[in-house]
Amino acid sequence: MTSSATRPPETVLAAFGVTDDPVLLPGGKGGTWCAGQLVVKPVEFLAETLWRAEVLHELPNSVEFRVARPARTADGAWVADGWEASLLIPGEPDVSRQDEVLRAGIAFHAAIVDLPRPAFLDQRDDPWSYGDRVAWEELPVQASSVAMGLLQPLVDARRPVDLISQVVHGDLPGNVLFADGLPPAVIDWPVYWRPASWASAIAVADALCWYDAQPDLVARWSHLPRLGQMLVRALIYRIVTHDVVFGPTGWTSEQVNAYRPVIELATVCANDSPG
């Protein structure tokens, strides 16, 4: 089968010292390749790539999680002709291991809690950044009629929160790898500046909507700060982003029906939580 994904140019492979033929990896946005002991992919936002590479390069090893260390080119750069690379690490995603994903995310966030807010967040402009800003009332809610039907109860349940923001990973499910005898590996880090419990809430919401999690997942993690309100914002974020990416014709009945019970659960939790 021929893939439409752009193969890494030979100049890029040479810059990173790779001689193996690249193999397209499944998942993600369909543009990530394995070449020898490296994983290479196109840079999406250069300032974020460079910031993340420096952070992951300096991050101390942990017994609770692993990370994919960035790879430099032969001349010491993090990027070659619009491509970045990281060391290949063993493991496979397993979205059924929801509690372990959450624990890995919490350990990762504890390790990066003291990082300052990256300046590039003010310039990043993509559907995910837009959905994040809408979720946190930095932009008004504007969406298709189908999306608004899902969003309205969430917007009605949204209340102010007083939580400390930090650098977080905004897409943990599917980006935590498991390998026997090794700590979970946190990969493909989209950077946000939000409360750590919001990042956990995204993982909970995704698990409930798409990965067959049961409502008791919320009960097990109800100790997370303002989890109900974080679930409300996580769902707004996901719904608005989907609406921007796919438009009003991109909603299927299966997707709408997957969201509805989770929205109901989130709004109940949000209204039951202390103000």
Side-chain angles (χ1 to χ4, degrees):
M1 181 180 296
T2 302
S3 170
S4 61
T6 301
R7 185 183 188 275
E10 293 300 326
T11 55
V12 169
L13 299 176
F16 286 109
V18 176
T19 57
D20 302 73
D21 282 337
V23 177
L24 186 65
L25 294 175
K29 297 179 181 178
T32 302
W33 299 74
C34 178
Q37 293 303 305
L38 292 185
V39 173
V40 294
K41 63 181 181 179
V43 171
E44 294 186 23
F45 186 49
L46 180 60
E48 181 174 12
T49 293
L50 297 177
W51 180 93
R52 184 172 53 226
E54 290 291 344
V55 170
L56 292 177
H57 175 68
E58 297 290 341
L59 193 65
N61 290 328
S62 170
V63 297
E64 297 179 280
F65 65 89
R66 295 171 289 145
V67 296
R69 300 288 182 182
R72 293 187 189 270
T73 63
D75 60 4
W78 293 124
V79 171
D81 295 337
W83 290 74
E84 61 180 297
S86 60
L87 300 181
L88 179 67
I89 54 174
E92 298 291 336
D94 186 345
V95 294
S96 70
R97 298 169 71 165
Q98 294 134 3
D99 294 282
E100 292 169 87
V101 167
L102 285 160
R103 283 193 288 271
I106 288 170
F108 178 70
H109 291 141
I112 60 174
V113 66
D114 292 327
L115 292 174
R117 184 181 186 275
F120 69 77
L121 291 175
D122 295 325
Q123 284 77 49
R124 193 174 63 189
D125 184 19
D126 56 43
W128 293 266
S129 298
Y130 177 79
D132 163 60
R133 291 170 185 139
V134 172
W136 287 92
E137 300 182 83
E138 295 171 5
L139 290 173
V141 179
Q142 296 176 332
S144 68
S145 59
V146 175
M148 284 305 304
L150 297 171
L151 290 167
Q152 195 59 57
L154 296 166
V155 172
D156 292 343
R158 188 170 53 184
R159 301 287 183 271
V161 294
D162 184 17
L163 296 176
I164 296 173
S165 291
Q166 68 160 91
V167 173
V168 297
H169 190 304
D171 191 22
L172 288 167
N175 288 320
V176 177
L177 308 183
F178 297 95
D180 290 344
L182 295 172
V186 178
I187 65 167
D188 288 352
W189 176 16
V191 180
Y192 293 88
W193 182 258
R194 298 300 179 197
S197 55
W198 175 74
S200 296
I202 294 171
V204 171
D206 286 357
L208 291 167
C209 288
W210 316 118
Y211 305 135
D212 299 321
Q214 299 303 306
D216 62 357
L217 180 66
V218 176
R220 289 199 299 277
W221 294 94
S222 60
H223 58 281
L224 294 175
R226 301 302 302 274
L227 180 61
Q229 285 294 325
M230 296 301 100
L231 282 171
V232 163
R233 286 161 173 79
L235 288 164
I236 294 173
Y237 161 65
R238 286 301 202 204
I239 293 166
V240 169
T241 298
H242 179 93
D243 200 57
V244 171
V245 172
F246 297 103
T249 61
W251 288 99
T252 66
S253 58
E254 289 81 8
Q255 290 167 338
V256 172
N257 291 334
Y259 271 117
R260 280 179 174 154
V262 185
I263 291 169
E264 182 177 356
L265 177 61
T267 55
V268 169
C269 292
N271 291 326
D272 286 348
S273 63

